[in-house]
């Protein structure tokens, strides 16, 4: 009567209810069952096989079972009707001489078990849902290497149901040429219990080939026993395609580069040479350039150029700048030839340096022509200088002789001749300077100078010849001392001033300002003239560069002055630059370091 199970005893074949315990009574809502036949006690069970089962047990004497029978009742007597599950045994009972008297019904409460099973099923479902939703294929193999699980993704790829892949079925879908590699790498891991990674191709249901990257990790039971592998396969087709494309592009680049008549090279971010085209290998014995430290070996570069080239190369890399270098390089036949080499940085999307790509050309002929031209200019200027000097001397003589003449025409003619001869002299001096600079023959006579004196005297001198303009000098550099060639510095100032005057015909004001720090002085020469367009700013310091479209009648010149001035300042370890607004005016700057340095 106290048992936590359902119990009842039915007598005879018609199942007369002879006994039941309180729990059993609860299931049936405490109805009047005692001494009633089963069909009368529980009419609602008709047609569900229960009565027939009891009759069978009665007739055969063999027990029968019924599992997970669900019943609802207030099991705890707390007013709450809940669900419970029972496993039933229907067993015959006999009298003393062994004849079957009736059937015993015992129902054991298995609610906990059923709930656990339901939970497990739910978890299994959840697991399937999650793994099926994953974009990657997931799988599991047992300790013998047989597939025990694959998710929907894998099945979708292959177009076959999950079951087709279990055991060794999955191997069928690996492209035949990859099978051996996949299986051997996987078998090796399953005996060594190591994680593994392998890329292979899968034949998809749509006939396409898909690249996957499989990774697997060993799986262990809670007791530490090896249980197989769990892993994933990622679709890497796009990556492989991109890789292939990159390789194709690279091959294409090489083909193009190799057929180009110029020298083409590439270097990595560490400055190492990574590629040289065929023209290169034909031009010079470059094998060593591709070796580990070859990129810094300068033995192919003329020793007079090597230091400078390497310095600029390293500098460009560290600042990720473009560069252009001209230097002599040893060819296969041992002779040296000039090359003009350009390099541009290659940047990744995130802005980091991927390396350099560059090209170069044999510019020996150009250099030779340039040399011929320079020699010619030098020679011609030199030859012109003697007659001009003599003309100048006579003109000055005549000027002083006819200082007090009444002949206005004579006076005007002599003044004009003198002015033009001066102009010519300056031009010839400039030409001579250029040819000296180009051939490295420009020598500087250094002395200790008060910059202020040089500025003041030079400005005065220019002011004399410029009646239309007023040069305003603000003296504030005190006794700033420089180590410089007086005439050359004066030449720079004259050049900047005469330009300021020449290129500001509509204004009358030119300002000279100097600002100093302990290390250097910055001299600024400002005009309110025509200004310079942004695209010309970088070029005006180049040799023979004149701004195009400028009215030559108004502004005569050869484009030499600024080049010479810049060279002079550079040789004094200073800098030159210009700031300008077209139509508003320009400011030309130059700097000179203090002497002694740093004081
Ligand atoms: P140029 O003999 O032509 O004056 P420069 O070398 O002195 O040669 O100057 C080069 C070019 O720079 C000039 O042709 C002119 O176009 C430009 N330039 C120089 N100074 C000025 C200035 N102060 N204002 C405007 N343009 C200038």
């Amino acid at each position: 009567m106290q048992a936590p199970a359902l119990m009842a005893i039915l007598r005879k074949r018609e199942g007369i209810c002879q006994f039941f315990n309180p729990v059993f009574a609860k299931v049936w809502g405490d109805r009047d069952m005692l001494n009633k036949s089963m069909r009368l006690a529980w009419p609602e069970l008709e047609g569900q096989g229960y009565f027939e089962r009891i009759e069978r047990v009665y007739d055969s004497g063999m027990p029968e079972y019924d599992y997970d029978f669900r019943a609802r009742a207030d099991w705890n007597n707390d007013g709450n009707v809940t669900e419970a599950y029972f496993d039933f045994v229907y067993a015959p009972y006999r009298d003393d001489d062994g004849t079957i008297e009736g059937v015993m019904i015992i129902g054991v409460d298995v609610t906990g078990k059923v709930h656990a099973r339901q939970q497990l099923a739910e978890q299994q479902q959840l697991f399937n849902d999650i793994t099926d939703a994953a974009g990657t294929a997931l799988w599991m193999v047992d300790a013998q290497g047989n597939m025990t699980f694959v998710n929907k993704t894998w099945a979708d790829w292959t177009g076959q149901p999950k079951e087709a892949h279990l055991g060794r079925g999955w191997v069928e879908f690996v492209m035949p040429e990859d099978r051996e590699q996949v299986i051997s790498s996987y078998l090796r891991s399953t005996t060594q219990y190591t994680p593994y990674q392998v890329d292979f191709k899968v034949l998809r249901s749509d006939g396409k080939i898909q690249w996957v990257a499989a990774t697997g990790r060993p799986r262990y039971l809670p007791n530490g026993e090896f249980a197989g592998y769990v892993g994933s396969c990622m679709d890497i087709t796009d990556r492989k395609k991109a890789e292939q494309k990159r390789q194709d592009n690279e091959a294409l680049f090489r083909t193009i580069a190799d057929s180009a008549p110029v020298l083409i090279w590439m270097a990595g971010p560490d400055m190492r040479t990574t590629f040289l085209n065929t023209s290169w290998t034909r031009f010079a014995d470059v094998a060593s350039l591709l070796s580990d430290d070859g990129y810094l070996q300068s033995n192919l570069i003329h020793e007079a150029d090597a230091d400078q080239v390497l310095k600029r190369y390293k500098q460009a890399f560290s600042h990720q700048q473009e560069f252009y270098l001209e230097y002599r390089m040893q060819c296969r036949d041992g002779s040296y030839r000039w090359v003009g080499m350009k390099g541009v940085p290659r940047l990744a999307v995130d802005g980091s340096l991927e390396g350099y790509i560059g090209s170069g050309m044999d510019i020996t002929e150009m250099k030779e022509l340039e040399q011929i031209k320079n020699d010619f200019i030098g020679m011609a200027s030199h030859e012109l200088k003697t007659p001009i000097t003599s003309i100048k001397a006579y003109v000055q003589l005549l000027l002083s002789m006819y200082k007090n003449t009444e002949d206005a025409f004579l006076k005007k003619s002599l003044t004009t001749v003198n002015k033009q001869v001066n102009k010519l002299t300056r031009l010839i001096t400039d030409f001579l300077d250029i040819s000296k600079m180009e051939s490295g023959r420009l020598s500087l006579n250094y002395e200790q100078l008060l910059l202020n004196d040089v500025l003041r005297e030079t400005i005065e001198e220019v002011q004399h010849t410029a009646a239309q303009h007023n040069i305003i000098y603000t003296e504030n550099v005190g006794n700033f001392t420089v180590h410089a060639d007086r005439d050359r510095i004066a030449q720079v100032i004259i050049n900047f001033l005469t330009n300021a005057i020449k290129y500001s015909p509509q204004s009358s004001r030119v300002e000279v300002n100097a600002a100093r720090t302990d290390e250097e002085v910055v001299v600024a020469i400002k005009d309110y003239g025509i200004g310079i367009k942004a695209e010309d700013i970088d070029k005006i310091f180049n040799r023979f560069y004149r701004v195009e479209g400028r009215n030559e009648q108004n502004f005569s010149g050869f484009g030499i002055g600024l080049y010479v001035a810049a060279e002079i300042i550079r040789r004094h370890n200073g800098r030159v630059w210009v700031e300008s607004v077209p139509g508003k005016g320009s400011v030309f700057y130059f700097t000179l370091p203090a002497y002694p340095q740093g004081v």
Side-chain angles (χ1 to χ4, degrees):
M1 288 301 281
Q2 302 306 322
L6 299 173
M7 286 186 189
I9 294 175
L10 308 182
R11 206 157 47 84
K12 300 232 167 90
R13 196 169 189 271
E14 55 266 45
I16 297 160
C17 186
Q18 190 188 349
F19 166 82
F20 52 84
N21 72 345
V23 188
F24 191 90
K26 213 175 246 179
V27 175
W28 297 110
D30 291 319
R31 70 173 75 171
D32 184 14
M33 305 176 280
L34 203 62
N35 292 323
K36 286 198 173 149
S37 74
M38 55 190 179
R39 286 192 163 83
L40 275 175
W42 307 293
E44 68 265 46
L45 295 185
E46 187 66 71
Q48 294 182 37
Y50 292 104
F51 304 144
E52 292 75 8
R53 171 176 283 143
I54 285 164
E55 285 163 0
R56 236 177 5 250
V57 172
Y58 185 87
D59 294 343
S60 68
M62 301 295 291
E64 288 201 16
Y65 305 90
D66 186 12
Y67 300 112
D68 298 344
F69 177 84
R70 196 167 65 122
R72 292 172 61 82
D74 176 7
W75 304 109
N76 303 316
N77 300 318
D78 58 4
N80 286 325
V81 176
T82 54
E83 227 166 55
Y85 290 89
F86 299 90
D87 279 355
F88 279 98
V89 188
Y90 302 84
Y93 77 94
R94 297 163 200 267
D95 63 11
D96 294 343
D97 54 18
T99 35
I100 293 173
E101 194 138 298
V103 176
M104 234 164 20
I105 302 173
I106 301 172
V108 182
D109 183 357
V110 292
T111 312
K113 221 163 77 185
V114 170
H115 281 168
R117 220 164 42 214
Q118 278 171 350
Q119 238 166 30
L120 200 70
E122 273 168 28
Q123 271 169 13
Q124 182 67 40
Q125 186 60 42
L126 182 67
F127 173 77
N128 282 338
D129 287 348
I130 291 174
T131 53
D132 286 351
T136 44
L138 300 170
W139 49 263
M140 233 155 37
V141 294
D142 64 16
Q144 285 71 47
N146 294 311
M147 190 72 68
T148 54
F149 165 83
V150 291
N151 72 341
K152 185 169 171 293
T153 311
W154 176 270
D156 285 350
W157 287 348
T158 58
Q160 297 297 318
K162 293 178 182 178
E163 298 73 45
H165 305 280
L166 300 184
R168 296 286 160 124
W170 59 276
V171 179
E172 283 300 306
F173 302 94
V174 176
M175 289 299 283
E177 64 264 36
D178 292 344
R179 272 181 210 164
E180 200 186 306
Q181 186 216 355
V182 172
I183 291 172
S184 67
S185 84
Y186 149 87
L187 285 183
R188 198 169 45 247
S189 323
T190 49
T191 51
Q192 293 169 354
Y193 305 163
T194 50
Y196 82 96
Q197 210 282 314
V198 61
D199 292 355
F200 58 91
K201 296 184 285 307
V202 172
L203 182 62
R204 286 170 51 122
S205 56
D206 57 10
K208 290 201 181 112
I209 285 169
Q210 171 163 322
W211 270 100
V212 300
T215 46
R217 261 185 337 111
R219 199 161 59 86
Y220 297 94
L221 295 178
N223 65 9
E225 196 185 321
F226 174 68
Y229 271 78
V230 58
S232 66
C233 291
M234 224 164 54
D235 180 357
I236 53 162
T237 314
D238 289 346
R239 200 180 81 199
K240 285 279 178 187
K241 272 190 190 150
E243 234 165 67
Q244 185 60 43
K245 190 150 181 141
R246 216 196 50 228
Q247 278 168 11
D248 291 351
N249 281 345
E250 208 164 298
L252 181 66
F253 164 75
R254 275 165 199 268
T255 317
I256 295 173
D258 280 341
S259 58
V262 287
L263 313 173
I264 294 175
W265 55 271
M266 280 206 289
D270 55 358
M271 300 202 284
R272 267 166 226 269
T273 311
T274 53
F275 171 78
L276 295 170
N277 70 341
T278 328
S279 297
W280 252 113
T281 46
R282 252 185 247 131
F283 183 70
D285 181 12
V286 288
S288 68
L289 282 178
L290 290 168
S291 70
D292 263 359
D293 53 355
Y295 64 104
L296 287 181
Q297 269 174 23
S298 49
N299 55 358
L300 285 178
I301 301 170
H302 195 288
E303 63 178 332
D305 303 330
D307 286 350
Q308 183 68 8
V309 168
L310 284 187
K311 198 173 127 201
R312 290 279 307 279
Y313 188 63
K314 285 181 190 164
Q315 207 176 25
F317 264 81
S318 59
H319 293 92
Q320 310 193 348
Q321 288 163 336
E322 247 182 69
F323 65 82
Y324 176 74
L325 291 166
E326 289 185 357
Y327 54 92
R328 280 154 288 178
M329 182 131 188
Q330 192 169 38
C331 301
R332 279 197 175 270
D333 64 2
S335 68
Y336 280 93
R337 292 190 72 81
W338 279 97
V339 289
M341 198 59 77
K342 191 183 164 109
V344 279
R346 288 188 303 129
L347 300 181
V349 258
D350 64 357
S352 63
L353 183 69
E354 274 190 340
Y356 268 73
I357 182 158
S359 63
M361 270 201 305
D362 183 343
I363 54 165
T364 314
E365 262 107 60
M366 209 173 86
K367 280 274 172 189
E368 282 166 1
L369 285 175
E370 212 170 85
Q371 187 60 43
I372 293 170
K373 188 192 69 200
N374 283 341
D375 291 350
F376 176 77
I377 291 175
M379 210 172 59
S381 321
H382 196 78
E383 292 299 320
L384 283 170
K385 210 176 162 152
T386 324
I388 290 286
T389 316
S390 125
I391 294 172
K392 193 177 158 96
Y394 279 106
V395 170
Q396 287 199 325
L397 188 64
L398 285 170
L399 264 176
S400 64
M401 273 169 68
Y402 294 99
K403 201 159 53 188
N404 301 317
T405 180
E406 299 292 303
D407 189 339
F409 175 73
L410 180 67
K411 211 170 175 178
K412 188 167 179 270
S413 309
L414 284 177
T415 318
T416 310
V417 173
N418 186 40
K419 222 161 124 190
Q420 296 302 330
V421 168
N422 278 340
K423 224 169 163 181
L424 205 53
T425 314
R426 195 153 345 109
L427 195 61
I428 289 166
T429 325
D430 279 351
F431 274 128
L432 271 174
D433 284 349
I434 283 208
S435 92
K436 278 188 200 153
M437 278 172 185
E438 306 275 283
S439 56
R441 283 184 290 114
L442 184 85
S443 56
L444 296 172
N445 301 315
Y446 286 103
E447 55 180 318
Q448 205 167 321
L449 298 172
L450 283 177
L451 185 71
N452 195 39
D453 293 350
V454 188
L455 276 168
R456 196 162 20 83
E457 285 159 25
T458 316
I459 290 167
E460 244 166 62
E461 196 186 316
V462 178
Q463 182 68 78
H464 277 310
T465 61
Q468 311 292 324
H469 286 77
N470 191 15
I471 308 173
I472 297 150
Y473 174 40
T474 322
E475 292 186 35
N476 60 0
V477 285
N479 57 355
F480 191 90
T481 309
V482 292
H483 186 59
D485 182 323
R486 184 185 193 94
D487 292 344
R488 292 296 178 189
I489 296 301
Q491 187 182 348
V492 173
I493 300 166
I494 292 173
N495 178 269
F496 282 9
L497 283 174
T498 47
N499 273 346
I501 290 163
K502 183 158 91 179
Y503 296 106
S504 64
Q506 313 288 355
S507 101
S508 62
R509 191 184 169 91
V510 172
E511 293 161 21
V512 181
N513 235 301
R516 56 169 291 184
T517 63
D518 283 347
E519 280 85 36
E520 63 172 13
V521 65
V522 184
V523 178
I525 291 152
K526 179 170 187 175
D527 66 59
Y528 295 89
I530 59 169
I532 304 159
K533 278 186 283 177
E535 69 247 40
D536 292 317
I537 288 238
D538 291 338
K539 299 183 200 141
I540 56 167
F541 291 101
N542 292 351
R543 201 174 35 159
F544 306 132
Y545 188 82
R546 305 208 66 230
V547 173
E548 236 175 83
R550 208 154 256 187
N551 193 333
E552 263 99 47
Q553 287 95 307
N554 290 348
F555 307 109
S556 65
F558 276 98
I560 304 173
L562 284 182
Y563 170 72
V564 173
E567 275 303 314
I568 291 172
I569 294 297
R570 253 175 242 139
R571 278 165 210 234
H572 281 86
N573 292 322
R575 293 167 285 134
V576 284
W577 73 97
V578 59
E579 286 163 7
S580 186
V581 181
K584 288 252 152 64
S586 320
V587 192
F588 280 79
Y589 297 90
F590 72 87
T591 70
L592 285 174
Y595 180 78
Q597 214 91 69
V599 172

